[in-house]
Amino acid sequence: MTTVLISGLGLIGSSIARIIKDGDAAVTILGSDPDDDNADFLLEHQMIDSRVAFTDGAKSADVIILAGPVSVILDQIGELSRLSLKDGVLVTDVGSTKQAIMTAATRLTQKGVAFMGGHPMAGSHLTGSQNGTVNLFKNAKYFLVTGSQTERQLRDFQKLLKSANVDWITTSAQTHDKLVSELSHVPHAVAAALVNSIAEGLADDPVGLKAAAGGFKSTTRIAASNPQMWTAIMMSNSEVVSRELAAFQQQLSQLEQAIKSQDEAAIYATFAKAQKTRQSLDD
Amino acid sequence: MTTVLISGLGLIGSSIARIIKDGDAAVTILGSDPDDDNADFLLEHQMIDSRVAFTDGAKSADVIILAGPVSVILDQIGELSRLSLKDGVLVTDVGSTKQAIMTAATRLTQKGVAFMGGHPMAGSHLTGSQNGTVNLFKNAKYFLVTGSQTERQLRDFQKLLKSANVDWITTSAQTHDKLVSELSHVPHAVAAALVNSIAEGLADDPVGLKAAAGGFKSTTRIAASNPQMWTAIMMSNSEVVSRELAAFQQQLSQLEQAIKSQDEAAIYATFAKAQKTRQSLDD
């Protein structure tokens, strides 16, 4: 009988609890979360078997899934390295960046504790255990950064999450962090700056943001996400994100110049290229 | 009996045809569009009564609605100023920018032809008459820039479009162009530059854009729009858009610096402010 500890029962952690129970109801799930609402909701709906303190749960688990914000994951890897864990335990995480986490995890590996980095590339601007769903990662990429886990532990973990119906991708921490910076962190920074810039620009307009239509709402939707979570992500991927934000700004400056000088051909070329790329992604 | 000419039977023009027919099936709608598919679809579904050449339709219309791209609207205002139109005709448009159009329309006003600028603040990344709907502008703002129309013509026009269920707002061309630059044109430029920058940054990644999740797709959705239409919009609002793109870039540079220097408090303040503003907009 497998015992799994999920630490962090928000959107991601609670979805993983649902996924594991959906795949094999006999797995015992221990849940740890500072938020009473998250834990109570999952207990009440029998998606976790009991609520535990992190260190207590860690000592009795066969699989430990760290599903809090990146900053908490980093702290918890430190805590785990000071505990006596079960033989054969696998520690994994769902953090949005991997280089800082894999570096921290060498403290576990040095003690003979298996660690494997993970990141399901899905999410929502919604948060909390009530918004979790067994389908949250369906057809999405689930990145695995192999560390010190055995081949068997990797296969068992994928089996544990079989109901997630994800596309497993094994990659390096560096490749992963560049990819998510481009697809997630840079867009997030851009959306947040856009909301702030536009709110400021329209501060004196009596209609202002109230006239926002679907396009604006869609472009800025992710700016409504949890600022604490996103601050932790930026802190742990700062070098990559700041470098790629600079690259984006160069592109935007070129477009700005083309618009300013009414260079019709250059504006059209930019928009046509973006349209072609964006249309190639399914919605 | 009122005869309306709608020139441009794409998403917006075809939605207006539906709205007018829904409000009063007895209104005669003449449709003009270079695209056979758009016109045929609306004829077949009896949303327009006949397809006409622009100048023929213009001469017999009581209301002329210019619903093509901004560049076409500007050309057609010139054409109309050389025609002999019906007494009491109202010319209006649905273009996304208003200063250039109101300036061009002085050629009509000088000939005693009433012109009123208009802009329904809604749309979609979809195009074409098949995607139009009577609800396209529902609960959205419909800006009117009063020109040389009479009070009666304004009221009759609003009555003609009563099934649209819009929020009518009378404004100046300058205030309008600043507002839509902030809420629509700047976000569009940003989304297009973001798609191009990220596609370039991920050109060597085997997974690349295929890993894009909901957040990225939402942020860049508007970049899939018609590049010709958007080029015309940028050309006609270039001064305002380029100025506000510069203001946005200042905000983004500040955030980039905060991320680069791992200034946690500054990153958090930016995200928390954006979250608060964005959450205040209904989805």
Side-chain angles (χ1 to χ4, degrees):
Chain A
M1 265 295 299
T2 307
T3 298
V4 176
L5 167 67
I6 302 178
S7 170
L9 301 172
L11 183 79
I12 306 289
S14 74
S15 294
I16 291 178
R18 289 169 171 89
I19 288 163
I20 294 174
K21 285 287 184 190
D22 186 75
D24 181 358
V27 172
T28 301
I29 303 185
L30 312 177
S32 148
D33 196 300
D35 182 311
D36 288 340
D37 289 345
N38 278 340
D40 291 349
F41 178 85
L42 294 180
L43 268 177
E44 196 180 310
H45 291 79
Q46 295 168 307
M47 293 161 184
I48 62 174
D49 296 285
S50 52
R51 182 182 182 185
V52 295
F54 176 67
T55 49
D56 294 341
K59 288 181 209 160
S60 56
D62 302 298
V63 177
I64 299 173
I65 302 175
L66 305 177
V70 172
S71 52
V72 175
I73 293 171
L74 291 169
D75 288 345
Q76 289 181 331
I77 287 174
E79 277 188 80
L80 291 177
S81 72
R82 291 185 294 273
L83 296 177
S84 174
L85 304 175
K86 269 174 99 170
D87 277 351
V89 64
L90 172 71
V91 183
T92 186
D93 78 302
V94 300
S96 302
T97 65
K98 293 271 73 73
Q99 286 179 100
I101 288 171
M102 295 310 289
T103 302
T106 54
R107 294 169 69 181
L108 292 174
T109 308
Q110 280 159 4
K111 282 192 61 187
V113 174
F115 184 86
M116 174 173 75
H119 178 212
M121 185 72 184
S124 165
H125 59 296
L126 300 172
T127 55
S129 62
Q130 304 200 23
N131 290 308
T133 148
V134 75
N135 292 318
L136 189 68
F137 315 133
K138 198 177 174 181
N139 300 325
K141 314 289 178 194
Y142 197 123
F143 292 99
L144 293 179
V145 177
T146 52
S148 51
Q149 86 296 332
T150 63
E151 190 56 37
R152 172 74 184 270
Q153 284 174 318
L154 191 157
R155 281 203 311 276
D156 285 351
F157 180 72
Q158 291 180 328
K159 208 169 137 194
L160 194 66
L161 267 60
K162 64 177 182 291
S163 289
N165 290 309
V166 297
D167 183 11
W168 297 100
I169 295 187
T170 304
T171 184
S172 71
Q174 197 184 353
T175 301
H176 171 274
D177 285 3
K178 165 120 167 72
L179 182 69
V180 294
S181 171
E182 296 279 20
L183 290 180
S184 174
H185 309 169
V186 167
H188 192 88
V190 167
L194 190 61
V195 168
N196 291 340
S197 171
I198 280 165
E200 213 168 89
L202 290 177
D204 297 330
D205 189 296
V207 179
L209 283 170
K210 289 195 291 289
F216 181 77
K217 289 179 185 173
S218 169
T219 309
T220 59
R221 183 173 63 78
I222 56 176
S225 309
N226 184 327
Q228 193 188 356
M229 186 185 97
W230 279 97
T231 301
I233 290 173
M234 297 298 165
M235 290 292 288
S236 74
N237 205 18
S238 68
E239 195 186 320
V240 182
V241 174
S242 55
R243 190 177 62 226
E244 281 156 19
L245 271 175
F248 163 66
Q249 288 185 86
Q250 278 202 325
Q251 291 258 357
L252 189 61
S253 291
Q254 282 172 18
L255 178 56
E256 181 206 328
Q257 284 307 313
I259 292 171
K260 193 173 183 177
S261 60
Q262 300 198 309
D263 182 345
E264 191 166 2
I267 301 171
Y268 181 82
T270 302
F271 289 168
K273 191 175 168 191
Q275 183 198 35
K276 194 176 166 206
T277 304
R278 182 59 187 82
Q279 281 186 337
S280 72
L281 307 176
D282 292 335
D283 271 306
Chain B
M1 265 296 297
T2 306
T3 298
V4 176
L5 167 67
I6 302 177
S7 170
L9 302 172
L11 183 78
I12 307 289
S14 74
S15 294
I16 291 178
R18 288 168 172 89
I19 288 162
I20 294 174
K21 285 287 184 191
D22 187 75
D24 181 357
V27 172
T28 302
I29 302 185
L30 313 176
S32 148
D33 196 299
D35 182 311
D36 287 340
D37 289 345
N38 278 340
D40 290 349
F41 178 84
L42 294 180
L43 267 177
E44 196 180 309
H45 292 79
Q46 295 167 307
M47 293 162 185
I48 63 173
D49 297 285
S50 52
R51 183 182 181 185
V52 294
F54 176 68
T55 47
D56 294 340
K59 287 182 211 158
S60 55
D62 302 298
V63 177
I64 300 174
I65 301 175
L66 306 177
V70 173
S71 52
V72 174
I73 293 171
L74 291 168
D75 288 346
Q76 289 182 331
I77 287 174
E79 276 189 79
L80 291 177
S81 73
R82 291 185 293 273
L83 294 177
S84 175
L85 304 176
K86 267 174 98 170
D87 277 351
V89 64
L90 172 71
V91 182
T92 187
D93 79 302
V94 300
S96 301
T97 65
K98 294 271 74 76
Q99 286 178 100
I101 287 170
M102 295 309 289
T103 301
T106 55
R107 293 169 68 181
L108 292 174
T109 308
Q110 280 160 4
K111 283 191 60 186
V113 175
F115 184 86
M116 175 173 73
H119 178 212
M121 184 74 182
S124 166
H125 60 296
L126 301 171
T127 55
S129 61
Q130 303 200 25
N131 290 308
T133 148
V134 74
N135 292 318
L136 189 68
F137 314 133
K138 200 177 173 183
N139 300 325
K141 315 288 177 194
Y142 196 124
F143 292 100
L144 292 179
V145 178
T146 53
S148 51
Q149 86 294 335
T150 63
E151 190 55 36
R152 172 74 184 270
Q153 284 174 316
L154 190 158
R155 280 202 314 276
D156 285 351
F157 179 72
Q158 291 180 328
K159 208 170 137 194
L160 194 67
L161 266 62
K162 64 177 181 291
S163 288
N165 289 309
V166 297
D167 183 11
W168 297 101
I169 295 186
T170 304
T171 186
S172 72
Q174 196 183 356
T175 301
H176 171 274
D177 285 3
K178 165 120 167 72
L179 183 70
V180 294
S181 171
E182 296 279 20
L183 291 179
S184 174
H185 309 170
V186 167
H188 192 88
V190 168
L194 191 61
V195 168
N196 291 340
S197 171
I198 281 165
E200 212 169 271
L202 291 177
D204 297 329
D205 189 297
V207 179
L209 282 170
K210 289 195 291 288
F216 181 77
K217 289 179 185 173
S218 169
T219 309
T220 59
R221 183 174 63 77
I222 56 176
S225 309
N226 183 326
Q228 192 187 357
M229 186 184 97
W230 279 96
T231 302
I233 290 173
M234 298 297 166
M235 290 293 288
S236 75
N237 204 18
S238 68
E239 196 186 320
V240 181
V241 175
S242 55
R243 190 177 62 225
E244 281 156 18
L245 271 175
F248 163 67
Q249 287 186 87
Q250 279 203 325
Q251 292 257 356
L252 189 61
S253 291
Q254 282 173 17
L255 178 56
E256 181 207 330
Q257 283 307 313
I259 293 171
K260 193 172 184 178
S261 60
Q262 300 198 307
D263 182 344
E264 190 166 3
I267 301 170
Y268 181 81
T270 302
F271 289 168
K273 192 176 167 190
Q275 182 198 36
K276 194 177 165 204
T277 304
R278 182 59 186 82
Q279 281 186 337
S280 73
L281 306 177
D282 292 335
D283 270 307

